[in-house]
Amino acid sequence: VWALLLVGLAFLAQMPVRWRWAGIGAGLLLALVAMLVSWLLQLPWLALVGETLSGVTTSGGEVSRVDAALAYIDGLFGQNNWHLLWPLLVACVIWRRDVLRGQREAALLALLVAGGLAALFGLFVFTPAAKWAASETATNRLVLHWVPLAISLLALLLRDVPWPARTPPASPR
């Protein structure tokens, strides 16, 4: 999944600006055609995807999508185990949104981090992995994969901030 995010982002980054929306539309159209052909030919992979996305009933019982989503969000923002990393990242992205518009590297890294967290959200909310989100153990472990990229994004966003100068300590007389 992470490789698919990187490949998709690499294609998006290499595509000329005037062709980006056309390329995104062509990719979505290609995916739709592949799904339609799979449905018409009754290919087994589409049935497997349908079964997986049909609900979040687990062997331990029913876990609602709302509970799974709330557990995922609590894992990012409600618990104290991330030392305020994710709220800090959201605040910094809002504060330094002009950097995201002006620096291609920061914007691409922000898309990668957002895409990864969205993929995890989809995993934990729309599949039987919802039971893992409810326990909050697996969510914390999988989100941990994205911490180095989040720190790198923070560094890119904050590298040009004019921090106040520190005055040197007075020399003793």
Short mmCIF file of all heavy atoms in Angstrom, two decimals, residues 17-65:
data_model
loop_
_atom_site.label_atom_id
_atom_site.label_comp_id
_atom_site.label_asym_id
_atom_site.label_seq_id
_atom_site.Cartn_x
_atom_site.Cartn_y
_atom_site.Cartn_z
N VAL A 17 2.12 20.33 -15.15
CA VAL A 17 1.02 20.95 -14.41
C VAL A 17 -0.25 21.00 -15.26
O VAL A 17 -1.34 20.72 -14.76
CB VAL A 17 1.42 22.36 -13.94
CG1 VAL A 17 0.26 23.05 -13.27
CG2 VAL A 17 2.61 22.29 -13.01
N ARG A 18 -0.13 21.33 -16.51
CA ARG A 18 -1.32 21.46 -17.35
C ARG A 18 -2.00 20.12 -17.60
O ARG A 18 -3.15 20.08 -18.00
CB ARG A 18 -0.96 22.14 -18.67
CG ARG A 18 -0.02 21.35 -19.52
CD ARG A 18 0.32 22.10 -20.81
NE ARG A 18 1.21 21.35 -21.65
CZ ARG A 18 2.52 21.38 -21.59
NH1 ARG A 18 3.12 22.14 -20.70
NH2 ARG A 18 3.25 20.66 -22.40
N TRP A 19 -1.31 19.01 -17.35
CA TRP A 19 -1.89 17.68 -17.58
C TRP A 19 -2.31 16.99 -16.29
O TRP A 19 -2.83 15.88 -16.34
CB TRP A 19 -0.87 16.79 -18.30
CG TRP A 19 -0.67 17.21 -19.71
CD1 TRP A 19 0.34 17.99 -20.20
CD2 TRP A 19 -1.50 16.91 -20.82
NE1 TRP A 19 0.20 18.18 -21.55
CE2 TRP A 19 -0.94 17.52 -21.95
CE3 TRP A 19 -2.68 16.18 -20.97
CZ2 TRP A 19 -1.50 17.42 -23.21
CZ3 TRP A 19 -3.24 16.07 -22.22
CH2 TRP A 19 -2.65 16.69 -23.33
N ARG A 20 -2.08 17.60 -15.13
CA ARG A 20 -2.34 16.92 -13.86
C ARG A 20 -3.79 16.48 -13.71
O ARG A 20 -4.06 15.33 -13.38
CB ARG A 20 -1.95 17.81 -12.69
CG ARG A 20 -0.50 17.69 -12.43
CD ARG A 20 -0.11 17.96 -11.03
NE ARG A 20 1.34 17.96 -11.06
CZ ARG A 20 2.10 18.88 -10.58
NH1 ARG A 20 1.56 19.88 -9.95
NH2 ARG A 20 3.39 18.81 -10.69
N TRP A 21 -4.72 17.41 -13.89
CA TRP A 21 -6.13 17.05 -13.72
C TRP A 21 -6.57 16.03 -14.76
O TRP A 21 -7.36 15.13 -14.47
CB TRP A 21 -7.02 18.28 -13.73
CG TRP A 21 -6.85 19.07 -12.46
CD1 TRP A 21 -6.27 20.29 -12.33
CD2 TRP A 21 -7.25 18.67 -11.15
NE1 TRP A 21 -6.27 20.68 -11.01
CE2 TRP A 21 -6.87 19.70 -10.27
CE3 TRP A 21 -7.87 17.55 -10.63
CZ2 TRP A 21 -7.10 19.64 -8.90
CZ3 TRP A 21 -8.11 17.48 -9.26
CH2 TRP A 21 -7.71 18.52 -8.43
N ALA A 22 -6.05 16.16 -15.97
CA ALA A 22 -6.38 15.18 -17.00
C ALA A 22 -5.81 13.82 -16.63
O ALA A 22 -6.45 12.79 -16.83
CB ALA A 22 -5.84 15.64 -18.35
N GLY A 23 -4.61 13.79 -16.08
CA GLY A 23 -3.99 12.54 -15.66
C GLY A 23 -4.73 11.89 -14.50
O GLY A 23 -4.93 10.66 -14.48
N ILE A 24 -5.16 12.71 -13.54
CA ILE A 24 -5.94 12.18 -12.42
C ILE A 24 -7.27 11.63 -12.92
O ILE A 24 -7.70 10.54 -12.54
CB ILE A 24 -6.14 13.26 -11.34
CG1 ILE A 24 -4.82 13.58 -10.66
CG2 ILE A 24 -7.18 12.83 -10.31
CD1 ILE A 24 -4.86 14.80 -9.75
N GLY A 25 -7.92 12.37 -13.81
CA GLY A 25 -9.18 11.90 -14.38
C GLY A 25 -8.99 10.62 -15.19
O GLY A 25 -9.82 9.70 -15.11
N ALA A 26 -7.90 10.54 -15.96
CA ALA A 26 -7.64 9.33 -16.74
C ALA A 26 -7.38 8.14 -15.83
O ALA A 26 -7.83 7.02 -16.11
CB ALA A 26 -6.45 9.56 -17.68
N GLY A 27 -6.67 8.36 -14.74
CA GLY A 27 -6.42 7.27 -13.79
C GLY A 27 -7.70 6.78 -13.14
O GLY A 27 -7.91 5.57 -13.00
N LEU A 28 -8.58 7.72 -12.76
CA LEU A 28 -9.86 7.32 -12.18
C LEU A 28 -10.73 6.60 -13.19
O LEU A 28 -11.41 5.62 -12.87
CB LEU A 28 -10.58 8.55 -11.61
CG LEU A 28 -9.95 9.18 -10.37
CD1 LEU A 28 -10.67 10.48 -10.02
CD2 LEU A 28 -9.98 8.22 -9.20
N LEU A 29 -10.72 7.09 -14.42
CA LEU A 29 -11.50 6.44 -15.48
C LEU A 29 -10.97 5.04 -15.75
O LEU A 29 -11.74 4.10 -15.93
CB LEU A 29 -11.47 7.29 -16.75
CG LEU A 29 -12.30 6.79 -17.92
CD1 LEU A 29 -13.78 6.79 -17.54
CD2 LEU A 29 -12.07 7.64 -19.14
N LEU A 30 -9.66 4.88 -15.76
CA LEU A 30 -9.06 3.56 -15.97
C LEU A 30 -9.45 2.60 -14.84
O LEU A 30 -9.78 1.44 -15.10
CB LEU A 30 -7.54 3.69 -16.06
CG LEU A 30 -6.76 2.42 -16.33
CD1 LEU A 30 -7.13 1.84 -17.68
CD2 LEU A 30 -5.28 2.69 -16.26
N ALA A 31 -9.44 3.08 -13.60
CA ALA A 31 -9.84 2.24 -12.46
C ALA A 31 -11.31 1.86 -12.58
O ALA A 31 -11.70 0.71 -12.32
CB ALA A 31 -9.58 2.98 -11.15
N LEU A 32 -12.15 2.80 -13.00
CA LEU A 32 -13.58 2.52 -13.18
C LEU A 32 -13.81 1.48 -14.28
O LEU A 32 -14.62 0.56 -14.12
CB LEU A 32 -14.33 3.82 -13.48
CG LEU A 32 -15.84 3.71 -13.61
CD1 LEU A 32 -16.45 3.31 -12.26
CD2 LEU A 32 -16.42 5.04 -14.06
N VAL A 33 -13.09 1.60 -15.38
CA VAL A 33 -13.21 0.64 -16.48
C VAL A 33 -12.74 -0.74 -16.02
O VAL A 33 -13.38 -1.75 -16.32
CB VAL A 33 -12.43 1.12 -17.72
CG1 VAL A 33 -12.26 0.02 -18.75
CG2 VAL A 33 -13.11 2.33 -18.34
N ALA A 34 -11.65 -0.79 -15.26
CA ALA A 34 -11.15 -2.08 -14.76
C ALA A 34 -12.18 -2.72 -13.83
O ALA A 34 -12.40 -3.94 -13.90
CB ALA A 34 -9.83 -1.89 -14.03
N MET A 35 -12.82 -1.93 -12.99
CA MET A 35 -13.84 -2.48 -12.10
C MET A 35 -15.06 -2.94 -12.89
O MET A 35 -15.64 -3.98 -12.58
CB MET A 35 -14.22 -1.45 -11.04
CG MET A 35 -13.14 -1.27 -10.00
SD MET A 35 -13.44 0.00 -8.78
CE MET A 35 -15.07 -0.31 -8.24
N LEU A 36 -15.46 -2.17 -13.90
CA LEU A 36 -16.61 -2.54 -14.72
C LEU A 36 -16.35 -3.85 -15.47
O LEU A 36 -17.20 -4.75 -15.49
CB LEU A 36 -16.97 -1.42 -15.69
CG LEU A 36 -18.15 -1.66 -16.60
CD1 LEU A 36 -19.43 -1.80 -15.77
CD2 LEU A 36 -18.30 -0.53 -17.60
N VAL A 37 -15.18 -3.97 -16.07
CA VAL A 37 -14.83 -5.19 -16.78
C VAL A 37 -14.77 -6.37 -15.80
O VAL A 37 -15.24 -7.47 -16.11
CB VAL A 37 -13.49 -5.01 -17.53
CG1 VAL A 37 -12.94 -6.34 -18.03
CG2 VAL A 37 -13.66 -4.03 -18.68
N SER A 38 -14.21 -6.15 -14.61
CA SER A 38 -14.16 -7.21 -13.61
C SER A 38 -15.56 -7.63 -13.18
O SER A 38 -15.82 -8.81 -12.95
CB SER A 38 -13.37 -6.73 -12.39
OG SER A 38 -12.04 -6.48 -12.73
N TRP A 39 -16.46 -6.67 -13.07
CA TRP A 39 -17.84 -6.98 -12.69
C TRP A 39 -18.53 -7.76 -13.79
O TRP A 39 -19.24 -8.73 -13.53
CB TRP A 39 -18.57 -5.68 -12.36
CG TRP A 39 -20.00 -5.89 -11.97
CD1 TRP A 39 -20.48 -6.45 -10.82
CD2 TRP A 39 -21.14 -5.54 -12.75
NE1 TRP A 39 -21.85 -6.47 -10.83
CE2 TRP A 39 -22.28 -5.91 -12.01
CE3 TRP A 39 -21.32 -4.95 -13.99
CZ2 TRP A 39 -23.57 -5.71 -12.48
CZ3 TRP A 39 -22.60 -4.75 -14.45
CH2 TRP A 39 -23.71 -5.13 -13.70
N LEU A 40 -18.34 -7.33 -15.05
CA LEU A 40 -18.97 -8.02 -16.17
C LEU A 40 -18.44 -9.45 -16.33
O LEU A 40 -19.19 -10.36 -16.65
CB LEU A 40 -18.76 -7.24 -17.47
CG LEU A 40 -19.54 -5.92 -17.58
CD1 LEU A 40 -19.10 -5.17 -18.84
CD2 LEU A 40 -21.03 -6.17 -17.59
N LEU A 41 -17.15 -9.65 -16.08
CA LEU A 41 -16.54 -10.98 -16.20
C LEU A 41 -16.64 -11.77 -14.90
O LEU A 41 -16.18 -12.91 -14.84
CB LEU A 41 -15.08 -10.85 -16.62
CG LEU A 41 -14.82 -10.23 -17.99
CD1 LEU A 41 -13.34 -10.08 -18.25
CD2 LEU A 41 -15.49 -11.06 -19.08
N GLN A 42 -17.20 -11.16 -13.87
CA GLN A 42 -17.35 -11.76 -12.55
C GLN A 42 -16.03 -12.31 -12.02
O GLN A 42 -15.93 -13.47 -11.60
CB GLN A 42 -18.42 -12.84 -12.56
CG GLN A 42 -19.79 -12.30 -12.89
CD GLN A 42 -20.86 -13.36 -12.90
OE1 GLN A 42 -20.58 -14.54 -12.78
NE2 GLN A 42 -22.10 -12.93 -13.03
N LEU A 43 -15.00 -11.46 -12.07
CA LEU A 43 -13.68 -11.86 -11.56
C LEU A 43 -13.71 -11.95 -10.03
O LEU A 43 -14.35 -11.13 -9.37
CB LEU A 43 -12.62 -10.86 -12.02
CG LEU A 43 -12.41 -10.79 -13.54
CD1 LEU A 43 -11.33 -9.78 -13.88
CD2 LEU A 43 -12.03 -12.16 -14.09
N PRO A 44 -13.03 -12.94 -9.47
CA PRO A 44 -13.14 -13.18 -8.03
C PRO A 44 -12.56 -12.08 -7.15
O PRO A 44 -13.00 -11.91 -6.01
CB PRO A 44 -12.39 -14.50 -7.82
CG PRO A 44 -11.64 -14.78 -9.06
CD PRO A 44 -12.25 -13.96 -10.15
N TRP A 45 -11.61 -11.30 -7.64
CA TRP A 45 -11.02 -10.27 -6.78
C TRP A 45 -12.04 -9.22 -6.39
O TRP A 45 -12.00 -8.67 -5.29
CB TRP A 45 -9.79 -9.62 -7.43
CG TRP A 45 -10.09 -8.63 -8.52
CD1 TRP A 45 -10.20 -8.88 -9.84
CD2 TRP A 45 -10.35 -7.23 -8.36
NE1 TRP A 45 -10.50 -7.72 -10.53
CE2 TRP A 45 -10.60 -6.70 -9.64
CE3 TRP A 45 -10.40 -6.37 -7.27
CZ2 TRP A 45 -10.88 -5.37 -9.85
CZ3 TRP A 45 -10.68 -5.04 -7.50
CH2 TRP A 45 -10.91 -4.54 -8.77
N LEU A 46 -12.98 -8.93 -7.29
CA LEU A 46 -13.99 -7.92 -6.99
C LEU A 46 -14.95 -8.40 -5.91
O LEU A 46 -15.36 -7.63 -5.05
CB LEU A 46 -14.74 -7.55 -8.27
CG LEU A 46 -15.56 -6.27 -8.22
CD1 LEU A 46 -14.69 -5.08 -7.90
CD2 LEU A 46 -16.26 -6.05 -9.53
N ALA A 47 -15.27 -9.69 -5.91
CA ALA A 47 -16.12 -10.25 -4.86
C ALA A 47 -15.41 -10.18 -3.51
O ALA A 47 -16.03 -9.88 -2.48
CB ALA A 47 -16.50 -11.68 -5.19
N LEU A 48 -14.10 -10.44 -3.51
CA LEU A 48 -13.33 -10.37 -2.26
C LEU A 48 -13.32 -8.95 -1.71
O LEU A 48 -13.50 -8.74 -0.51
CB LEU A 48 -11.90 -10.87 -2.50
CG LEU A 48 -10.96 -10.82 -1.31
CD1 LEU A 48 -11.45 -11.76 -0.22
CD2 LEU A 48 -9.56 -11.17 -1.74
N VAL A 49 -13.13 -7.98 -2.59
CA VAL A 49 -13.16 -6.58 -2.15
C VAL A 49 -14.55 -6.22 -1.62
O VAL A 49 -14.69 -5.56 -0.58
CB VAL A 49 -12.74 -5.63 -3.30
CG1 VAL A 49 -13.01 -4.18 -2.96
CG2 VAL A 49 -11.27 -5.83 -3.64
N GLY A 50 -15.59 -6.67 -2.30
CA GLY A 50 -16.95 -6.41 -1.84
C GLY A 50 -17.23 -7.00 -0.48
O GLY A 50 -17.85 -6.37 0.37
N GLU A 51 -16.76 -8.24 -0.25
CA GLU A 51 -16.95 -8.87 1.06
C GLU A 51 -16.20 -8.11 2.14
O GLU A 51 -16.68 -7.94 3.26
CB GLU A 51 -16.49 -10.31 1.02
CG GLU A 51 -17.39 -11.23 0.23
CD GLU A 51 -16.80 -12.62 0.08
OE1 GLU A 51 -15.84 -12.96 0.81
OE2 GLU A 51 -17.29 -13.37 -0.76
N THR A 52 -14.99 -7.68 1.82
CA THR A 52 -14.17 -6.98 2.80
C THR A 52 -14.80 -5.65 3.18
O THR A 52 -14.82 -5.27 4.35
CB THR A 52 -12.75 -6.75 2.25
OG1 THR A 52 -12.18 -8.01 1.93
CG2 THR A 52 -11.87 -6.04 3.25
N LEU A 53 -15.33 -4.93 2.21
CA LEU A 53 -15.89 -3.61 2.47
C LEU A 53 -17.35 -3.64 2.90
O LEU A 53 -17.91 -2.61 3.26
CB LEU A 53 -15.75 -2.72 1.23
CG LEU A 53 -14.33 -2.40 0.79
CD1 LEU A 53 -14.35 -1.56 -0.46
CD2 LEU A 53 -13.56 -1.70 1.90
N SER A 54 -17.97 -4.82 2.90
CA SER A 54 -19.39 -4.89 3.20
C SER A 54 -19.71 -4.62 4.65
O SER A 54 -20.82 -4.24 4.98
CB SER A 54 -19.95 -6.25 2.79
OG SER A 54 -19.37 -7.26 3.59
N GLY A 55 -18.79 -4.81 5.53
CA GLY A 55 -19.08 -4.56 6.93
C GLY A 55 -17.86 -4.81 7.79
O GLY A 55 -16.82 -5.25 7.32
N VAL A 56 -18.00 -4.50 9.04
CA VAL A 56 -16.89 -4.64 9.96
C VAL A 56 -17.21 -5.65 11.06
O VAL A 56 -16.74 -5.55 12.17
CB VAL A 56 -16.49 -3.27 10.57
CG1 VAL A 56 -15.91 -2.38 9.53
CG2 VAL A 56 -17.66 -2.61 11.26
N THR A 57 -18.04 -6.64 10.73
CA THR A 57 -18.33 -7.69 11.69
C THR A 57 -17.07 -8.53 11.88
O THR A 57 -16.46 -8.95 10.91
CB THR A 57 -19.48 -8.60 11.20
OG1 THR A 57 -20.60 -7.77 10.96
CG2 THR A 57 -19.82 -9.65 12.22
N THR A 58 -16.69 -8.73 13.10
CA THR A 58 -15.49 -9.48 13.42
C THR A 58 -15.87 -10.71 14.22
O THR A 58 -17.01 -10.87 14.65
CB THR A 58 -14.51 -8.62 14.22
OG1 THR A 58 -15.13 -8.29 15.46
CG2 THR A 58 -14.16 -7.35 13.49
N SER A 59 -14.90 -11.59 14.43
CA SER A 59 -15.19 -12.80 15.19
C SER A 59 -15.56 -12.46 16.63
O SER A 59 -16.25 -13.21 17.29
CB SER A 59 -13.99 -13.75 15.15
OG SER A 59 -12.85 -13.11 15.70
N GLY A 60 -15.10 -11.32 17.13
CA GLY A 60 -15.41 -10.90 18.49
C GLY A 60 -16.70 -10.11 18.57
O GLY A 60 -17.05 -9.61 19.63
N GLY A 61 -17.43 -9.97 17.49
CA GLY A 61 -18.67 -9.23 17.50
C GLY A 61 -18.62 -8.06 16.55
O GLY A 61 -17.68 -7.88 15.79
N GLU A 62 -19.64 -7.24 16.63
CA GLU A 62 -19.79 -6.09 15.74
C GLU A 62 -19.05 -4.88 16.31
O GLU A 62 -19.17 -4.55 17.48
CB GLU A 62 -21.27 -5.76 15.59
CG GLU A 62 -21.56 -4.61 14.66
CD GLU A 62 -21.45 -5.00 13.20
OE1 GLU A 62 -21.52 -6.18 12.87
OE2 GLU A 62 -21.29 -4.07 12.38
N VAL A 63 -18.25 -4.25 15.49
CA VAL A 63 -17.60 -2.99 15.83
C VAL A 63 -18.13 -1.97 14.83
O VAL A 63 -17.98 -2.15 13.63
CB VAL A 63 -16.06 -3.08 15.74
CG1 VAL A 63 -15.43 -1.74 16.03
CG2 VAL A 63 -15.54 -4.14 16.68
N SER A 64 -18.76 -0.92 15.32
CA SER A 64 -19.35 0.04 14.39
C SER A 64 -18.26 0.88 13.73
O SER A 64 -17.17 1.07 14.28
CB SER A 64 -20.34 0.95 15.12
OG SER A 64 -19.66 1.92 15.87
N ARG A 65 -18.57 1.36 12.56
CA ARG A 65 -17.62 2.21 11.85
C ARG A 65 -17.37 3.51 12.61
O ARG A 65 -16.26 4.02 12.61
CB ARG A 65 -18.16 2.51 10.45
CG ARG A 65 -18.09 1.30 9.56
CD ARG A 65 -18.42 1.66 8.13
NE ARG A 65 -18.16 0.49 7.31
CZ ARG A 65 -19.02 -0.03 6.47
NH1 ARG A 65 -20.19 0.52 6.30
NH2 ARG A 65 -18.72 -1.09 5.77
#
